[in-house]
Amino acid sequence: MSPLFKNHNFVHYWVGQIASSFAFQMLSVGVGWQMYELTNSPLALGLVGLAQFLPQLLLTLVVGHVADRYNRRLICVCTRLSMALTVGILAFGNISDTISAQMIYFCAAMLGVARAFEMPANQAILPNLVPSDMLSRVMSAIASAREICVIAGPALGGLIYLLGPTTLYLASMSCFLIACGIMFFLHYNFSVKGKTPINLEHLLGGFSFIRGNKVILGSISLDMFAVLLGGATALLPIVAKDILHTGPWGLGLLRCAPALGALLMSIYLARRPLEHSVGKIMFAAVAVFGVATILFGLSESLLLSMFSLVLLGASDMISVVIRSTLVQLETPDEMRGRVSAANSIFIGSSNQLGEFESGVTAAWFGVVPAIVIGGVGTIAIVGIWMYLFPHLVQRNKLEEAND
């Protein structure tokens, strides 16, 4: 057995993450499908996503402070319990036949509030559960679980939905409750080092710390701009239909391909963690991400497109694991909540804006040029960032003293 899975605290955390991720992935399928059945409006689907994202954006400063000031384990317990209760509202709406688009929007916003508080606490608690030299393996193992949920969760949710939306919501609620119970029994020693006054400087501490730490700033901004420019996956429906001339089954394969690549790479990194030249490897991985994006844009074959997307997902996973580990190791425990909150906004915004950027450039230049331009832009960002952040390029190990 891997030493990682001999750590009972990590196993509790890991299983809880799987239960929570499955709950959310299944829920996304049910909410999306039912909203479209109720409204027959693509805009309504977009508004559901917006209802979840806005609370996370608006509460960034507050949730980071809460994660640094209060017990992170209890924050995760409370937020997962609130998510279970929110999904219970959707189940009740179907049972009582009072479900409506407005109810779904309300529940989506409540889920967004809960996730806003959960994410920084959930990320910041990790270094308190395992030794720092195991953190890279931990990030890879968690990434593996997440990708499995991304692949299997929607499929399972679709099958359960055949039994009715009520059944799906009850299944999702059960998973959230399981995740809540597992986190409740997690062994975690909570302590706060001093009581700093709550003011704007304190609330903005996460952003200030990121700005002042070149390693964290370079890794976060590199990932952010790479995702912003290389968001080719937003155009998958158009590529599948108009370029590859395939049906929904082909689109499904294309959507699974990046997650498959990420899953395989995360499993590899969990067994063979990166030990040397992590800075150069991260820049190389982002460059490969750009090359894979260009290859996908030029492809007219389903198999070649799937291969490029698998490569894209695998290279992105390398960058994600290195960035996530560096952020955790470089950040003092008393600031991890605020830094994690700021990091979540950077990455979340880049995903949202990346899809918007891809849509705009596709409308201006066409689908293929838009994807290729995004890939070229990603490679250009790698070159610029290597010049701007030489210390990050020269980073040898994930954990280094006094960087």
Side-chain angles (χ1 to χ4, degrees):
M1 180 185 293
S2 168
L4 188 59
F5 289 94
K6 293 180 181 179
N7 185 311
H8 297 298
N9 256 356
F10 170 71
V11 172
H12 272 77
Y13 178 91
W14 188 70
V15 174
Q17 283 293 102
I18 292 175
S20 181
S21 295
F22 257 110
F24 190 76
Q25 292 297 331
M26 291 192 297
L27 179 63
S28 298
V29 171
V31 166
W33 191 272
Q34 186 163 49
M35 176 60 85
Y36 196 66
E37 282 187 329
L38 289 171
T39 65
N40 200 34
S41 167
L43 177 61
L45 295 178
L47 291 176
V48 170
L50 184 64
Q52 291 187 60
F53 176 71
L54 280 180
Q56 297 177 38
L57 179 63
L58 297 175
L59 293 171
T60 302
L61 300 181
V62 177
V63 299
H65 161 73
V66 170
D68 283 335
R69 182 60 66 91
Y70 301 101
N71 192 312
R72 293 162 183 168
R73 178 181 64 85
L74 293 181
I75 293 172
C76 292
V77 169
C78 292
T79 53
R80 289 176 180 178
L81 179 60
S82 67
M83 285 188 272
L85 294 175
T86 301
V87 179
I89 294 174
L90 293 174
F92 176 78
N94 281 275
I95 293 172
S96 61
D97 200 27
T98 58
I99 192 72
S100 64
Q102 289 72 25
M103 180 182 289
I104 293 177
Y105 287 137
F106 170 78
C107 289
M110 293 302 295
L111 287 169
V113 171
R115 283 172 62 83
F117 280 94
E118 183 202 29
M119 284 191 291
N122 193 43
Q123 293 173 17
I125 200 175
L126 256 179
N128 303 123
L129 303 180
V130 297
S132 59
D133 60 349
M134 295 179 66
L135 198 55
S136 176
R137 290 179 184 267
V138 165
M139 293 298 181
S140 300
I142 292 172
S144 300
R146 182 178 61 245
E147 297 304 330
I148 290 173
C149 293
V150 168
I151 295 172
L156 181 61
L159 290 174
I160 296 176
Y161 196 88
L162 295 176
L163 302 175
T166 302
T167 306
L168 183 140
Y169 293 140
L170 290 176
S172 177
M173 183 177 69
S174 299
C175 287
F176 276 129
L177 289 173
I178 291 171
C180 175
I182 291 173
M183 183 61 77
F184 182 80
F185 290 104
L186 186 72
H187 179 70
Y188 167 62
N189 294 321
F190 168 70
S191 64
V192 175
K193 298 178 181 178
K195 286 280 187 178
T196 55
I198 303 174
N199 51 37
L200 186 59
E201 181 181 358
H202 173 77
L203 295 177
L204 292 172
F207 292 95
S208 300
F209 183 82
I210 290 173
R211 185 182 61 185
N213 187 302
K214 298 300 182 183
V215 170
I216 295 182
L217 177 62
S219 57
I220 289 179
S221 57
L222 174 66
D223 186 88
M224 182 180 72
F225 280 102
V227 172
L228 181 64
L229 293 173
T233 53
L235 303 175
L236 283 181
I238 303 174
V239 172
K241 182 179 180 182
D242 297 340
I243 297 176
L244 302 179
H245 306 292
T246 184
W249 63 273
L251 175 59
L253 291 175
L254 293 174
R255 286 201 180 278
C256 287
L260 176 61
L263 173 61
L264 294 175
M265 181 55 69
S266 63
I267 293 173
Y268 175 81
L269 292 176
R271 297 177 63 88
R272 301 284 299 274
L274 300 171
E275 297 181 351
H276 302 286
S277 304
V278 294
K280 294 183 178 67
I281 290 173
M282 182 170 69
F283 279 106
V286 178
V288 171
F289 181 92
V291 172
T293 301
I294 295 172
L295 183 62
F296 173 71
L298 297 176
S299 171
E300 296 181 356
S301 160
L302 178 60
L303 288 178
L304 180 58
S305 296
M306 289 181 60
F307 169 77
S308 14
L309 289 175
V310 168
L311 182 62
L312 183 147
S315 58
D316 183 51
M317 179 53 61
I318 296 174
S319 172
V320 167
V321 168
I322 294 176
R323 170 181 54 80
S324 302
T325 307
L326 286 175
V327 169
Q328 296 288 13
L329 290 174
E330 290 282 313
T331 308
D333 184 62
E334 63 272 15
M335 293 197 66
R336 284 197 177 110
R338 283 167 289 166
V339 171
S340 294
N343 183 30
S344 297
I345 289 301
F346 283 130
I347 304 306
S349 299
S350 66
N351 286 323
Q352 302 288 333
L353 294 176
E355 294 182 2
F356 175 73
E357 179 271 338
S358 294
V360 170
T361 52
W364 285 351
F365 306 113
V367 174
V368 172
I371 296 174
V372 173
I373 290 171
V376 172
T378 298
I379 296 173
I381 287 293
V382 170
I384 296 171
W385 257 238
M386 290 181 74
Y387 174 77
L388 293 177
F389 299 94
H391 191 59
L392 181 58
V393 178
Q394 298 303 320
R395 181 78 174 218
N396 184 33
K397 295 183 179 182
L398 288 168
E399 185 177 17
E400 291 184 354
N402 301 320
D403 280 294

